Protein backbone atom coordinates (compact mmCIF):
# COMPACT_ATOMS: atom_id res chain seq x y z
CA UNK A 1 0.00 0.00 0.00
CA UNK A 2 1.74 3.13 -1.20
CA UNK A 3 2.52 5.45 1.62
CA UNK A 4 0.99 3.09 4.14
CA UNK A 5 2.19 2.45 7.65
CA UNK A 6 4.83 0.03 6.66
CA UNK A 7 5.70 1.51 3.30
CA UNK A 8 9.26 0.97 2.22
CA UNK A 9 10.85 2.58 5.24
CA UNK A 10 13.93 0.66 6.22
CA UNK A 11 14.86 2.28 9.49
CA UNK A 12 17.77 4.66 10.01
CA UNK A 13 21.47 4.05 9.69
CA UNK A 14 22.25 4.66 13.35
CA UNK A 15 25.37 3.36 15.02
CA UNK A 16 24.15 4.36 18.49
CA UNK A 17 23.86 1.34 20.78
CA UNK A 18 22.01 3.55 23.26
CA UNK A 19 19.14 4.17 20.86
CA UNK A 20 19.11 0.50 19.90
CA UNK A 21 18.54 -0.42 23.55
CA UNK A 22 15.85 2.26 23.93
CA UNK A 23 13.96 1.00 20.90
CA UNK A 24 14.22 -2.60 22.06
CA UNK A 25 12.93 -1.69 25.53
CA UNK A 26 9.86 0.03 24.21
CA UNK A 27 9.19 -2.74 21.72
CA UNK A 28 9.02 -4.99 24.76
CA UNK A 29 6.51 -2.79 26.55
CA UNK A 30 4.28 -2.78 23.50
CA UNK A 31 4.37 -6.57 23.45
CA UNK A 32 3.83 -6.82 27.19
CA UNK A 33 0.49 -5.02 26.84
CA UNK A 34 -0.78 -7.64 24.40
CA UNK A 35 0.82 -10.65 26.07
CA UNK A 36 -0.33 -9.68 29.54
CA UNK A 37 -3.88 -9.02 28.38
CA UNK A 38 -3.98 -12.37 26.58
CA UNK A 39 -2.53 -14.27 29.51
CA UNK A 40 -4.71 -12.64 32.15
CA UNK A 41 -8.14 -13.64 30.94
CA UNK A 42 -7.47 -17.38 31.16
CA UNK A 43 -6.86 -17.16 34.90
CA UNK A 44 -9.58 -14.63 35.63
CA UNK A 45 -12.47 -16.64 34.17
CA UNK A 46 -11.86 -19.49 36.63
CA UNK A 47 -11.63 -17.32 39.74
CA UNK A 48 -14.42 -17.97 42.24
CA UNK A 49 -15.36 -14.34 42.81
CA UNK A 50 -15.40 -13.59 39.07
CA UNK A 51 -17.66 -16.59 38.44
CA UNK A 52 -20.02 -15.49 41.23
CA UNK A 53 -20.26 -12.04 39.65
CA UNK A 54 -20.55 -12.96 35.98
CA UNK A 55 -21.50 -16.63 35.97
CA UNK A 56 -24.53 -18.79 36.79
CA UNK A 57 -25.18 -21.08 39.75
CA UNK A 58 -25.38 -24.83 39.16
CA UNK A 59 -27.59 -26.33 41.85
CA UNK A 60 -26.46 -29.86 41.03
CA UNK A 61 -22.82 -29.14 41.85
CA UNK A 62 -23.29 -26.19 44.20
CA UNK A 63 -20.78 -24.16 42.20
CA UNK A 64 -20.82 -21.16 39.91
CA UNK A 65 -19.92 -21.56 36.27
CA UNK A 66 -19.84 -19.55 33.07
CA UNK A 67 -21.71 -20.92 30.03
CA UNK A 68 -19.54 -22.14 27.18
CA UNK A 69 -20.82 -19.47 24.79
CA UNK A 70 -19.96 -16.68 27.22
CA UNK A 71 -16.57 -18.20 27.93
CA UNK A 72 -15.78 -18.36 24.22
CA UNK A 73 -16.96 -14.77 23.77
CA UNK A 74 -14.87 -13.23 26.53
CA UNK A 75 -11.74 -15.09 25.42
CA UNK A 76 -12.07 -14.56 21.68
CA UNK A 77 -13.37 -10.97 21.74
CA UNK A 78 -9.77 -9.76 22.11
CA UNK A 79 -8.98 -11.18 18.66
CA UNK A 80 -11.97 -9.33 17.23
CA UNK A 81 -10.81 -6.15 18.94
CA UNK A 82 -7.31 -6.46 17.55
CA UNK A 83 -8.73 -7.17 14.07
CA UNK A 84 -10.60 -3.88 13.97
CA UNK A 85 -7.72 -2.22 15.76
CA UNK A 86 -5.37 -3.28 12.97
CA UNK A 87 -7.73 -1.76 10.38
CA UNK A 88 -7.84 1.50 12.32
CA UNK A 89 -4.09 1.56 12.88
CA UNK A 90 -3.38 2.42 9.24
CA UNK A 91 -5.40 5.68 9.11
CA UNK A 92 -4.46 6.61 12.68
CA UNK A 93 -0.75 6.12 11.97
CA UNK A 94 -0.98 8.26 8.84
CA UNK A 95 -3.18 11.00 10.31
CA UNK A 96 -1.88 11.63 13.83
CA UNK A 97 1.51 9.98 13.41
CA UNK A 98 3.22 6.83 14.66
CA UNK A 99 4.28 8.32 18.00
CA UNK A 100 1.01 10.03 18.90
CA UNK A 101 -0.94 7.13 17.44
CA UNK A 102 0.69 4.83 19.99
CA UNK A 103 0.00 7.28 22.82
CA UNK A 104 -3.64 7.59 21.73
CA UNK A 105 -3.87 3.80 21.51
CA UNK A 106 -2.60 3.51 25.07
CA UNK A 107 -5.39 5.88 26.14
CA UNK A 108 -7.95 3.68 24.37
CA UNK A 109 -6.37 0.61 25.94
CA UNK A 110 -6.58 2.21 29.39
CA UNK A 111 -10.23 3.03 28.82
CA UNK A 112 -10.82 -0.62 28.00
CA UNK A 113 -9.00 -1.69 31.16
CA UNK A 114 -11.22 0.62 33.17
CA UNK A 115 -14.32 -0.90 31.62
CA UNK A 116 -13.14 -4.38 32.56
CA UNK A 117 -13.08 -3.35 36.21
CA UNK A 118 -16.84 -2.99 36.14
CA UNK A 119 -19.12 -5.76 37.43
CA UNK A 120 -21.44 -5.72 34.40
CA UNK A 121 -20.96 -8.40 31.75
CA UNK A 122 -21.45 -6.19 28.67
CA UNK A 123 -19.03 -3.58 29.98
CA UNK A 124 -16.40 -6.20 30.76
CA UNK A 125 -16.59 -7.68 27.25
CA UNK A 126 -16.53 -4.31 25.46
CA UNK A 127 -13.36 -3.36 27.35
CA UNK A 128 -11.24 -5.96 25.57
CA UNK A 129 -10.05 -3.88 22.59
CA UNK A 130 -6.72 -2.48 21.38
CA UNK A 131 -4.59 -0.83 18.67
CA UNK A 132 -1.07 -1.02 20.08
CA UNK A 133 -0.12 -4.35 18.48
CA UNK A 134 0.05 -2.83 15.01
CA UNK A 135 1.38 0.65 15.70
CA UNK A 136 4.40 -0.29 17.82
CA UNK A 137 6.13 -2.47 15.16
CA UNK A 138 5.26 0.19 12.58
CA UNK A 139 7.08 2.86 14.57
CA UNK A 140 10.06 0.65 15.26
CA UNK A 141 10.54 -0.48 11.69
CA UNK A 142 10.86 3.15 10.63
CA UNK A 143 13.01 4.41 13.52
CA UNK A 144 15.22 1.54 14.63
CA UNK A 145 18.84 1.17 13.42
CA UNK A 146 19.02 -0.68 10.11
CA UNK A 147 21.66 -3.09 11.37
CA UNK A 148 19.41 -4.52 14.09
CA UNK A 149 15.95 -3.58 12.81
CA UNK A 150 14.90 -7.21 12.45
CA UNK A 151 16.10 -8.04 15.96
CA UNK A 152 14.24 -5.11 17.51
CA UNK A 153 10.96 -5.85 15.77
CA UNK A 154 11.40 -9.56 16.51
CA UNK A 155 11.77 -8.85 20.22
CA UNK A 156 8.16 -7.70 20.17
CA UNK A 157 7.07 -11.34 19.90
CA UNK A 158 9.35 -12.31 22.79
CA UNK A 159 7.81 -9.52 24.85
CA UNK A 160 4.35 -10.98 24.27
CA UNK A 161 5.54 -14.17 25.95
CA UNK A 162 7.07 -12.17 28.80
CA UNK A 163 3.74 -10.40 29.23
CA UNK A 164 1.97 -13.75 29.52
CA UNK A 165 4.52 -14.82 32.15
CA UNK A 166 3.94 -11.64 34.16
CA UNK A 167 0.21 -12.26 33.94
CA UNK A 168 0.65 -15.74 35.41
CA UNK A 169 2.72 -14.35 38.30
CA UNK A 170 0.14 -11.68 39.17
CA UNK A 171 -2.76 -14.11 38.82
CA UNK A 172 -1.07 -16.59 41.13
CA UNK A 173 -0.59 -13.92 43.79
CA UNK A 174 -4.24 -12.77 43.80
CA UNK A 175 -6.23 -15.92 42.94
CA UNK A 176 -7.07 -16.69 46.59
CA UNK A 177 -8.45 -13.24 47.43
CA UNK A 178 -12.07 -13.65 48.62
CA UNK A 179 -13.38 -10.50 46.91
CA UNK A 180 -13.30 -8.55 43.63
CA UNK A 181 -9.62 -7.73 44.13
CA UNK A 182 -8.76 -11.27 43.02
CA UNK A 183 -9.50 -10.37 39.40
CA UNK A 184 -9.49 -6.58 39.51
CA UNK A 185 -5.86 -6.30 40.56
CA UNK A 186 -4.52 -8.35 37.60
CA UNK A 187 -6.63 -6.25 35.25
CA UNK A 188 -5.64 -2.94 36.85
CA UNK A 189 -1.91 -3.74 36.54
CA UNK A 190 -2.34 -3.06 32.83
CA UNK A 191 -2.64 0.65 33.61
CA UNK A 192 1.05 0.53 34.56
CA UNK A 193 2.12 -1.02 31.24
CA UNK A 194 0.13 1.57 29.28
CA UNK A 195 1.58 4.42 31.35
CA UNK A 196 5.16 3.22 30.83
CA UNK A 197 4.69 2.87 27.08
CA UNK A 198 2.95 6.25 26.80
CA UNK A 199 5.66 8.06 28.78
CA UNK A 200 8.41 6.42 26.78
CA UNK A 201 6.79 7.33 23.46
CA UNK A 202 6.29 10.89 24.67
CA UNK A 203 10.06 11.16 25.15
CA UNK A 204 10.95 9.54 21.81
CA UNK A 205 10.93 11.43 18.49
CA UNK A 206 8.28 11.02 15.81
CA UNK A 207 9.00 8.83 12.80
CA UNK A 208 11.02 10.89 10.25
CA UNK A 209 9.21 9.10 7.44
CA UNK A 210 5.83 10.26 8.72
CA UNK A 211 7.05 13.83 9.17
CA UNK A 212 8.43 13.94 5.64
CA UNK A 213 5.22 12.48 4.28
CA UNK A 214 3.31 15.34 5.94
CA UNK A 215 5.70 17.90 4.47
CA UNK A 216 7.35 18.80 7.79
CA UNK A 217 10.95 18.86 6.55
CA UNK A 218 12.56 20.68 9.47
CA UNK A 219 10.79 18.52 12.03
CA UNK A 220 11.97 15.44 10.13
CA UNK A 221 15.56 16.67 10.31
CA UNK A 222 15.24 17.26 14.05
CA UNK A 223 13.80 13.77 14.51
CA UNK A 224 16.58 12.22 12.42
CA UNK A 225 19.17 14.12 14.42
CA UNK A 226 17.82 12.65 17.65
CA UNK A 227 17.67 9.13 16.23
CA UNK A 228 21.19 9.37 14.81
CA UNK A 229 22.50 11.36 17.80
CA UNK A 230 23.90 13.86 15.29
CA UNK A 231 23.25 17.58 14.61
CA UNK A 232 20.28 18.06 12.29
CA UNK A 233 22.51 19.75 9.68
CA UNK A 234 25.16 17.01 9.74
CA UNK A 235 26.08 15.00 6.60
CA UNK A 236 24.71 11.82 8.21
CA UNK A 237 21.29 13.44 8.71
CA UNK A 238 21.37 14.81 5.15
CA UNK A 239 22.08 11.35 3.74
CA UNK A 240 19.26 9.70 5.70
CA UNK A 241 16.91 12.55 4.82
CA UNK A 242 17.53 12.10 1.11
CA UNK A 243 17.15 8.32 1.34
CA UNK A 244 13.78 8.52 3.12
CA UNK A 245 12.62 11.21 0.71
CA UNK A 246 13.54 9.02 -2.27
CA UNK A 247 11.60 6.10 -0.80
CA UNK A 248 8.54 8.31 -0.30
CA UNK A 249 8.76 9.58 -3.87
CA UNK A 250 8.88 5.99 -5.10
CA UNK A 251 5.74 5.22 -3.11
CA UNK A 252 3.94 8.29 -4.42
CA UNK A 253 4.80 7.27 -7.97
CA UNK A 254 2.74 4.12 -7.45
CA UNK A 255 -0.33 6.21 -6.68
CA UNK A 256 -2.74 6.19 -3.77
CA UNK A 257 -3.32 2.80 -2.23
CA UNK A 258 -6.34 1.21 -0.62
CA UNK A 259 -7.17 -1.93 1.32
CA UNK A 260 -8.48 -3.46 -1.91
CA UNK A 261 -5.05 -3.03 -3.51
CA UNK A 262 -3.62 -5.41 -0.92
CA UNK A 263 -5.58 -8.25 -2.54
CA UNK A 264 -4.93 -7.40 -6.18
CA UNK A 265 -2.38 -9.41 -8.15
CA UNK A 266 -0.22 -6.56 -9.36
CA UNK A 267 3.41 -6.58 -10.47
CA UNK A 268 4.37 -6.16 -6.82
CA UNK A 269 2.41 -9.38 -6.03
CA UNK A 270 0.49 -7.68 -3.26
CA UNK A 271 -2.26 -10.29 -3.36
CA UNK A 272 0.19 -13.16 -2.94
CA UNK A 273 1.91 -11.45 -0.03
CA UNK A 274 -1.36 -10.61 1.70
CA UNK A 275 -2.86 -14.09 1.37
CA UNK A 276 0.40 -15.69 2.47
CA UNK A 277 0.31 -13.68 5.68
CA UNK A 278 -3.39 -14.34 6.25
CA UNK A 279 -3.09 -18.09 5.73
CA UNK A 280 -0.02 -18.40 7.93
CA UNK A 281 -1.82 -16.64 10.77
CA UNK A 282 -5.00 -18.66 10.20
CA UNK A 283 -3.17 -21.98 10.28
CA UNK A 284 -1.37 -20.92 13.43
CA UNK A 285 -4.68 -20.16 15.15
CA UNK A 286 -6.20 -23.44 13.95
CA UNK A 287 -3.62 -25.30 16.05
CA UNK A 288 -5.50 -24.02 19.11
CA UNK A 289 -2.41 -22.47 20.66
CA UNK A 290 -4.32 -19.46 22.04
CA UNK A 291 -6.71 -21.68 23.97
CA UNK A 292 -3.74 -23.52 25.48
CA UNK A 293 -2.11 -20.23 26.52
CA UNK A 294 -5.33 -18.74 27.83
Amino acid sequence: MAGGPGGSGGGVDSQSLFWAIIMSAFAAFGGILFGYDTGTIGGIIVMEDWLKNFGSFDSSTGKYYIPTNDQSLVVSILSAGTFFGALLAFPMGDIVGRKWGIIASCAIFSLGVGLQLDTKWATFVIGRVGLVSCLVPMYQSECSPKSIRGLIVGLYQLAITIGALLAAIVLNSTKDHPNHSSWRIPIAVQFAWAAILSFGMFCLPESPRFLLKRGREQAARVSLGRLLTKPRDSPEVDAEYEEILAALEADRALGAGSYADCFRNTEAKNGLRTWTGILLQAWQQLTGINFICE
Side-chain angles (χ1 to χ4, degrees):
M1 201 179 298
S8 57
V12 296
D13 193 14
S14 174
Q15 301 300 317
S16 172
L17 181 60
F18 172 77
W19 277 111
I21 295 173
I22 290 293
M23 294 299 299
S24 299
F26 285 101
F29 275 110
I32 284 174
L33 263 69
F34 182 77
Y36 186 93
D37 192 14
T38 303
T40 301
I41 191 62
I44 287 176
I45 62 175
V46 297
M47 288 183 175
E48 184 176 353
D49 184 79
W50 190 88
L51 290 173
K52 285 182 179 180
N53 189 81
F54 295 105
S56 304
F57 184 74
D58 186 351
S59 57
S60 62
T61 62
K63 296 181 179 180
Y64 287 87
Y65 75 100
I66 180 171
T68 303
N69 290 341
D70 289 344
Q71 181 176 345
S72 299
L73 174 64
V74 75
V75 172
S76 62
I77 195 67
L78 176 62
S79 296
T82 53
F83 170 77
F84 290 107
L87 294 179
L88 292 173
F90 165 51
M92 177 176 284
D94 270 6
I95 294 173
V96 304
R98 284 52 160 156
K99 170 182 175 176
W100 290 106
I102 293 173
I103 294 174
S105 297
C106 286
I108 296 172
F109 178 84
S110 296
L111 175 62
V113 172
L115 290 175
Q116 290 180 70
L117 296 176
D118 195 14
T119 55
K120 295 180 180 178
W121 174 253
T123 308
F124 185 90
V125 172
I126 291 172
R128 294 179 57 73
V129 296
L131 288 161
V132 177
S133 300
C134 184
L135 286 169
V136 168
M138 181 195 308
Y139 175 86
Q140 291 179 311
S141 66
E142 295 181 358
C143 297
S144 58
K146 292 179 181 179
S147 58
I148 56 172
R149 177 167 54 101
L151 173 64
I152 289 177
V153 177
L155 284 176
Y156 183 81
Q157 183 63 43
L158 174 61
I160 293 176
T161 307
I162 295 174
L165 173 62
L166 292 173
I169 294 172
V170 176
L171 287 169
N172 190 59
S173 65
T174 65
K175 62 182 178 64
D176 295 325
H177 290 196
N179 49 38
H180 290 346
S181 66
S182 61
W183 53 273
R184 278 180 167 171
I185 290 176
I187 291 175
V189 167
Q190 295 175 99
F191 284 124
W193 307 139
I196 292 171
L197 181 59
S198 296
F199 178 75
M201 291 308 305
F202 182 79
C203 296
L204 289 173
E206 178 58 271
S207 163
R209 178 184 174 86
F210 166 76
L211 294 172
L212 270 177
K213 183 178 179 180
R214 305 296 289 184
R216 298 167 58 185
E217 290 85 359
Q218 291 304 314
R221 287 185 175 276
V222 172
S223 178
L224 276 171
R226 290 187 61 191
L227 290 169
L228 298 171
T229 60
K230 299 284 186 180
R232 61 180 178 178
D233 56 352
S234 66
E236 292 84 359
V237 169
D238 288 339
E240 289 295 329
Y241 179 93
E242 294 298 329
E243 185 176 335
I244 296 173
L245 189 61
L248 281 174
E249 291 299 330
D251 280 351
R252 292 187 182 119
L254 296 176
S258 66
Y259 283 117
D261 291 333
C262 294
F263 297 92
R264 294 193 176 112
N265 290 321
T266 61
E267 293 182 3
K269 297 182 179 180
N270 290 337
L272 176 62
R273 295 177 181 180
T274 301
W275 283 111
T276 299
I278 289 174
L279 291 174
L280 283 173
Q281 294 295 325
W283 288 333
Q284 175 198 353
Q285 294 303 306
L286 286 174
T287 65
I289 186 62
N290 274 8
F291 290 96
I292 295 173
C293 293
E294 295 172 0

